[in-house]
Amino acid sequence: MFRVYSDRANWGKCLKLVVVAICVSSIASFSVVSMAEDQAPGTSLPKSTPESQGVSSKGLLEFIETADREVDSMHSFMLVRNGYVVAEAWWEPESPQKPHILWSLSKSFTSTAIGLAVEEGKLSINDPVLDYFPESSPEDVSSNLKAMRIRDLLTMTTGHQDEVNLRNESDWIKAFLAHPVPHKPGTHFRYNTPATFMLSAILQKVTGETVVEYLGPRLFEPLGIQFPQWDANPQGISIGGYGLYLRTEDIAKFGQLYLQRGKWNGEQLIPEEWIAEATSKQVSNGSNPSSDWDQGYGFQFWRCRHDAFRGDGKDGQFCIVIPEYNAAVAITANTRNMQSELNIVWDKLLPALSNSPLAADEAALKNLNEAISNLKASR
């Protein structure tokens, strides 16, 4: 499958990425190790043994075995506790250096770009969407369309009853603005990937850069995320709502950054106020207490049970941040039951976390490594 690199051709870097991916694609790997002394700041997350960070190797083994048995199929997993990677696993043929499709987990990165643009004074989330695209406005503009704000794009409350299908459209912006808006914006939650595309289009309009280009020096480079890939639409606009490809550790870094309220290596990359707003419940999206899709929605982030929040994508891509446990979890997969995948995190992984360091358990750690060494994705 062809993928656009950084929305622009950069064949030298693309070739390097392809070579690296080919070289490592057949290697299944797992590591739970002590903190490496040669870690380069901003490049790789530091590592530690599970027990030293209050994580049970036995509990991790139970989580891994349950996920391997019940999720069809797991691709990768990484747990960051107290800022240290304490467990990481890849189901062959996935590997540490292989980028993975994020699907709608991409939305949380687009939201981050909007937050940075707000901080730089390039836009306000209370701006009307139409103000940015007067040339694409339909002839008959409804009052609801006039009332639609950037905030409504962020919270999936644009007023649409149904998503507009952009895939067969030549002009995505015009098609979005021409779509009926039967509900008053801000009052009706409707998951809406085209709304995230519009956030990407607005950002590109005010900065002259695609989302991936804009995030380069502001997010990807400080976090040591190399070669981010983000597919673009026919007009060269990053799709925004999906299309981003990153490594598992890159997802974990993003989660850890949000856990640290936007601070990285002593630098405030994302305003703390934006982190608080984006990850809090901005709108209600249901009332089922056992569903992680009914706990509220922020700015392209879902609220979860256990007072957690996440970005997620189709087929089981997760970046889960659990402030109460000072933990961030990255998972990639190919499953049709994402709630079941999350249930395993809550039922098996959380009980493995303690509030204080645990005694070393070499036998359990050995069993964990042995169990993981033969992991293979079922498809």
Side-chain angles (χ1 to χ4, degrees), residues 226-263:
Q226 297 180 316
F227 313 125
Q229 306 164 75
W230 207 323
D231 293 342
N233 83 330
Q235 286 75 47
I237 303 170
S238 296
I239 293 173
Y242 60 95
L244 181 59
Y245 296 76
L246 295 177
R247 303 171 305 153
T248 306
E249 185 179 14
D250 299 333
I251 300 170
K253 288 177 178 179
F254 184 67
Q256 184 63 26
L257 175 65
Y258 267 76
L259 182 62
Q260 295 171 176
R261 300 179 181 178
K263 186 171 288 188

Side-chain angles (χ1 to χ4, degrees), residues 203-226:
L203 184 105
Q204 188 161 331
K205 188 77 175 283
V206 300
T207 67
E209 297 178 292
T210 62
V211 170
V212 72
E213 291 168 339
Y214 180 76
L215 287 178
R218 296 167 175 83
L219 180 75
F220 295 133
E221 291 174 16
L223 266 58
I225 296 176
Q226 297 180 316

Side-chain angles (χ1 to χ4, degrees), residues 163-374:
E163 281 189 340
V164 56
N165 186 353
L166 298 179
R167 294 183 180 180
N168 297 323
E169 298 289 343
S170 59
D171 189 326
W172 288 21
I173 295 172
K174 187 172 286 188
F176 180 90
L177 296 176
H179 198 60
V181 187
H183 304 282
K184 182 180 178 180
T187 66
H188 178 76
F189 178 83
R190 173 60 164 91
Y191 193 73
N192 193 336
T193 294
T196 315
F197 164 75
M198 291 298 289
L199 292 172
S200 174
I202 289 171
L203 184 105
Q204 188 161 331
K205 188 77 175 283
V206 300
T207 67
E209 297 178 292
T210 62
V211 170
V212 72
E213 291 168 339
Y214 180 76
L215 287 178
R218 296 167 175 83
L219 180 75
F220 295 133
E221 291 174 16
L223 266 58
I225 296 176
Q226 297 180 316
F227 313 125
Q229 306 164 75
W230 207 323
D231 293 342
N233 83 330
Q235 286 75 47
I237 303 170
S238 296
I239 293 173
Y242 60 95
L244 181 59
Y245 296 76
L246 295 177
R247 303 171 305 153
T248 306
E249 185 179 14
D250 299 333
I251 300 170
K253 288 177 178 179
F254 184 67
Q256 184 63 26
L257 175 65
Y258 267 76
L259 182 62
Q260 295 171 176
R261 300 179 181 178
K263 186 171 288 188
W264 195 263
N265 286 340
E267 181 182 358
Q268 194 72 42
L269 299 184
I270 307 169
E272 186 172 350
E273 296 79 7
W274 180 264
I275 299 280
E277 271 197 288
T279 62
S280 63
K281 180 179 177 179
Q282 296 290 336
V283 296
S284 177
N285 56 1
S287 60
N288 184 351
S290 62
S291 171
D292 283 293
W293 278 263
D294 280 23
Q295 305 305 308
Y297 196 76
F299 293 164
Q300 311 283 291
F301 284 90
W302 298 87
R303 293 295 306 175
C304 310
R305 291 175 292 164
H306 303 282
D307 200 26
F309 62 88
R310 73 186 188 278
D312 72 28
K314 186 172 78 77
D315 299 339
Q317 323 317 316
F318 285 114
C319 178
I320 308 166
V321 179
I322 318 171
E324 181 181 352
Y325 293 87
N326 199 26
V329 181
I331 300 176
T332 63
N334 184 15
T335 181
R336 295 298 178 265
N337 192 340
M338 293 171 64
Q339 182 63 72
S340 176
E341 186 180 341
L342 273 179
N343 289 344
I344 297 171
V345 172
W346 308 139
D347 296 343
K348 301 299 181 181
L349 190 60
L350 288 192
L353 309 182
S354 300
N355 292 326
S356 57
L358 302 173
D361 193 339
E362 296 298 331
L365 187 55
K366 180 181 178 182
N367 291 338
L368 180 59
N369 279 296
E370 289 177 352
I372 299 301
S373 62
N374 293 319

Side-chain angles (χ1 to χ4, degrees), residues 26-303:
S26 63
I27 301 174
S29 60
F30 174 80
S31 60
V32 184
V33 297
S34 298
M35 180 177 178
E37 294 181 358
D38 58 351
Q39 291 290 342
T43 299
S44 296
L45 290 166
K47 299 181 181 182
S48 178
T49 57
E51 277 71 21
S52 65
Q53 300 306 319
V55 184
S56 164
S57 291
K58 288 181 180 178
L60 283 171
L61 176 58
E62 186 174 359
F63 167 79
I64 291 289
E65 289 180 336
T66 304
D68 185 49
R69 182 176 62 251
E70 298 183 8
V71 178
D72 184 16
S73 66
M74 288 286 286
H75 287 176
S76 69
F77 160 73
M78 183 175 287
L79 171 63
V80 184
R81 183 86 195 282
N82 303 327
Y84 292 85
V85 177
V86 297
E88 51 188 323
W90 284 266
W91 278 250
E92 191 180 81
E94 303 303 318
S95 62
Q97 296 304 320
K98 183 178 178 182
H100 198 283
I101 187 169
L102 299 194
W103 292 113
S104 286
L105 177 49
S106 308
K107 291 178 170 67
S108 300
F109 288 83
T110 301
S111 168
T112 301
I114 293 296
L116 293 171
V118 169
E119 176 69 8
E120 294 174 2
K122 297 183 183 299
L123 56 85
S124 165
I125 63 172
N126 291 316
D127 291 343
V129 174
L130 274 178
D131 283 2
Y132 291 91
F133 307 107
E135 71 284 357
S136 300
S137 175
E139 290 186 10
D140 184 14
V141 178
S142 68
S143 59
N144 282 343
L145 179 58
K146 288 179 181 177
M148 189 190 299
R149 301 170 297 164
I150 292 177
R151 174 185 288 273
D152 303 319
L153 300 176
L154 286 165
T155 58
M156 301 292 190
T157 58
T158 57
H160 292 149
Q161 179 63 36
D162 303 298
E163 281 189 340
V164 56
N165 186 353
L166 298 179
R167 294 183 180 180
N168 297 323
E169 298 289 343
S170 59
D171 189 326
W172 288 21
I173 295 172
K174 187 172 286 188
F176 180 90
L177 296 176
H179 198 60
V181 187
H183 304 282
K184 182 180 178 180
T187 66
H188 178 76
F189 178 83
R190 173 60 164 91
Y191 193 73
N192 193 336
T193 294
T196 315
F197 164 75
M198 291 298 289
L199 292 172
S200 174
I202 289 171
L203 184 105
Q204 188 161 331
K205 188 77 175 283
V206 300
T207 67
E209 297 178 292
T210 62
V211 170
V212 72
E213 291 168 339
Y214 180 76
L215 287 178
R218 296 167 175 83
L219 180 75
F220 295 133
E221 291 174 16
L223 266 58
I225 296 176
Q226 297 180 316
F227 313 125
Q229 306 164 75
W230 207 323
D231 293 342
N233 83 330
Q235 286 75 47
I237 303 170
S238 296
I239 293 173
Y242 60 95
L244 181 59
Y245 296 76
L246 295 177
R247 303 171 305 153
T248 306
E249 185 179 14
D250 299 333
I251 300 170
K253 288 177 178 179
F254 184 67
Q256 184 63 26
L257 175 65
Y258 267 76
L259 182 62
Q260 295 171 176
R261 300 179 181 178
K263 186 171 288 188
W264 195 263
N265 286 340
E267 181 182 358
Q268 194 72 42
L269 299 184
I270 307 169
E272 186 172 350
E273 296 79 7
W274 180 264
I275 299 280
E277 271 197 288
T279 62
S280 63
K281 180 179 177 179
Q282 296 290 336
V283 296
S284 177
N285 56 1
S287 60
N288 184 351
S290 62
S291 171
D292 283 293
W293 278 263
D294 280 23
Q295 305 305 308
Y297 196 76
F299 293 164
Q300 311 283 291
F301 284 90
W302 298 87
R303 293 295 306 175

